[in-house]
Amino acid sequence: MASCCSLSFSTVSSKPNKPYSSPISSSLQLPITSQLPFSKKNSLYSNHTLLQTQCRKTQSPDCPSFLVVGSAKKQEPLRVMISGAPASGKGTQCELITKKYDLVHIAAGDLLRAEIAAGTENGRRAKEYMDKGQLVPNEIVVTIVKERLMRPDSQEKGWLLDGYPRSLSQAVALKEFQPDLFILLEVPEEILVERVVGRRLDPVTGRIYHLKYSPPETDEIAARLTQRFDDTEEKVKLRLHTHHQNVESVLSMYKDTIFQVDGSVSKEEVFAQIDGALAQLLEAKE
């Protein structure tokens, strides 16, 4: 029979890092970093208490004592938000993140379509606006996103919120769901325009090609490729302008967790940056 002879508790404290300015906007000062120096002094280190118990078997004086170290708090799952302009490669990175870290991928557009297909009350209300060519009110979208974030699988496995929130009011409505990391994919506008304008769709297979980066394999495929009506330089610049306005309006809500990523490099190099940050987050949570 073992008896505990000593108990000791130690608390790891956290102190926030000093912020520095972001190059994203000259009018908005944010602490953006491309490296996350996690340590016990870092603000991303959650406060927790370690319980140390030293025990020994009383009936056998020759039996060596041993140390049991346990955590009084269960490790929390990852909570991640990601934002990127059209053609920034955000969709590809979401696939890579969810595949490696088994997070629940949550995208507002997918949720809306699912609610409409299921015929729910929120879906019916959203469809009324969409059929009229109007934007679905924030109230409906926020409600749907919140419900998905609260589901058991999201709470247990962690979540990746894709391209949402897009406005300050949406961010405020989701303030109870603070991310561990807000990934911001940064790509120069000229590269984004080139990526969008060069995109082509194969109407037969549904595959997306790019005239420069991923050209069609045969002349037959090339002859049938089509271009989206809004994949023109003029229209993509308007979309990028709207995107930048939306992003700048929400960054202040997540300034302590922003992780700026160079999205102009290959998808493997982009994921290497993200993977390194998420791995350090998991280490910190342990």
Side-chain angles (χ1 to χ4, degrees):
M1 179 177 179
S3 62
C4 295
C5 60
S6 67
L7 288 173
S8 63
F9 299 84
S10 60
T11 302
V12 180
S13 62
S14 64
K15 296 181 180 179
N17 291 330
K18 294 182 179 179
Y20 55 92
S21 61
S22 162
I24 293 178
S25 170
S26 59
S27 62
L28 184 62
Q29 299 299 316
L30 297 171
I32 296 183
T33 177
S34 60
Q35 295 182 352
L36 297 179
F38 295 101
S39 68
K40 292 183 179 179
K41 296 182 179 180
N42 193 278
S43 61
L44 292 178
Y45 232 88
S46 300
N47 285 337
H48 64 283
T49 301
L50 292 179
L51 172 64
Q52 296 181 342
T53 306
Q54 187 172 7
C55 301
R56 60 183 175 83
K57 293 185 177 181
T58 56
Q59 75 272 27
S60 176
D62 297 328
C63 181
S65 62
F66 58 92
L67 181 68
V68 178
V69 179
S71 176
K73 184 177 181 180
K74 183 180 178 181
Q75 179 180 325
E76 295 180 354
L78 287 173
R79 298 161 299 186
V80 183
M81 292 181 179
I82 185 169
S83 176
S88 64
K90 178 167 63 65
T92 298
Q93 295 306 316
C94 284
E95 291 178 5
L96 295 172
I97 293 169
T98 52
K99 181 178 180 180
K100 177 164 184 178
Y101 291 94
D102 197 27
L103 302 178
V104 176
H105 181 214
I106 301 174
D110 293 342
L111 293 180
L112 277 174
R113 287 186 285 271
E115 292 284 323
I116 293 171
T120 65
E121 176 62 21
N122 283 326
R124 183 190 62 77
R125 294 173 60 200
K127 189 174 185 301
E128 290 178 357
Y129 289 96
M130 295 170 70
D131 288 345
K132 298 175 183 177
Q134 301 174 350
L135 293 175
V136 180
N138 281 340
E139 173 196 354
I140 297 175
V141 182
V142 168
T143 298
I144 294 174
V145 172
K146 276 187 173 183
E147 289 176 352
R148 188 65 187 90
L149 289 168
M150 288 299 295
R151 288 186 189 176
D153 60 340
S154 300
Q155 295 293 304
E156 294 171 8
K157 297 169 63 175
W159 43 261
L160 172 64
L161 188 52
D162 180 357
Y164 198 85
R166 297 189 181 96
S167 68
L168 181 59
S169 61
Q170 293 170 354
V172 171
L174 292 175
K175 62 182 178 180
E176 62 190 286
F177 300 98
Q178 289 295 311
D180 298 309
L181 202 66
F182 187 100
I183 300 170
L184 185 62
L185 296 175
E186 285 291 299
V187 183
E189 183 170 307
E190 60 270 19
I191 294 179
L192 293 172
V193 172
E194 181 185 41
R195 288 179 179 178
V196 172
V197 173
R199 286 192 305 203
R200 296 293 186 272
L201 170 67
D202 184 346
V204 175
T205 64
R207 180 176 173 181
I208 300 294
Y209 290 91
H210 193 280
L211 299 180
K212 178 179 180 180
Y213 301 112
S214 180
E217 297 86 352
T218 66
D219 292 338
E220 179 184 355
I221 296 176
R224 68 182 186 229
L225 296 181
T226 61
Q227 184 180 25
R228 275 179 46 168
F229 74 94
D230 57 348
D231 277 356
T232 63
E233 183 172 349
E234 180 183 2
K235 291 186 176 180
V236 73
K237 285 185 176 181
L238 288 175
R239 287 156 59 192
L240 290 175
H241 178 70
T242 301
H243 167 77
H244 293 317
Q245 285 184 322
N246 291 340
V247 169
E248 289 188 2
S249 69
V250 304
L251 289 183
S252 60
M253 290 288 294
Y254 308 111
K255 58 184 179 181
D256 293 330
T257 55
I258 292 174
F259 180 63
Q260 185 178 336
V261 175
D262 179 5
S264 65
V265 295
S266 69
K267 64 181 181 181
E268 292 82 9
E269 291 174 294
V270 173
F271 183 64
Q273 298 174 64
I274 296 172
D275 187 29
L278 294 178
Q280 290 183 66
L281 265 174
L282 282 178
E283 183 181 350
K285 283 175 174 289
E286 292 174 355

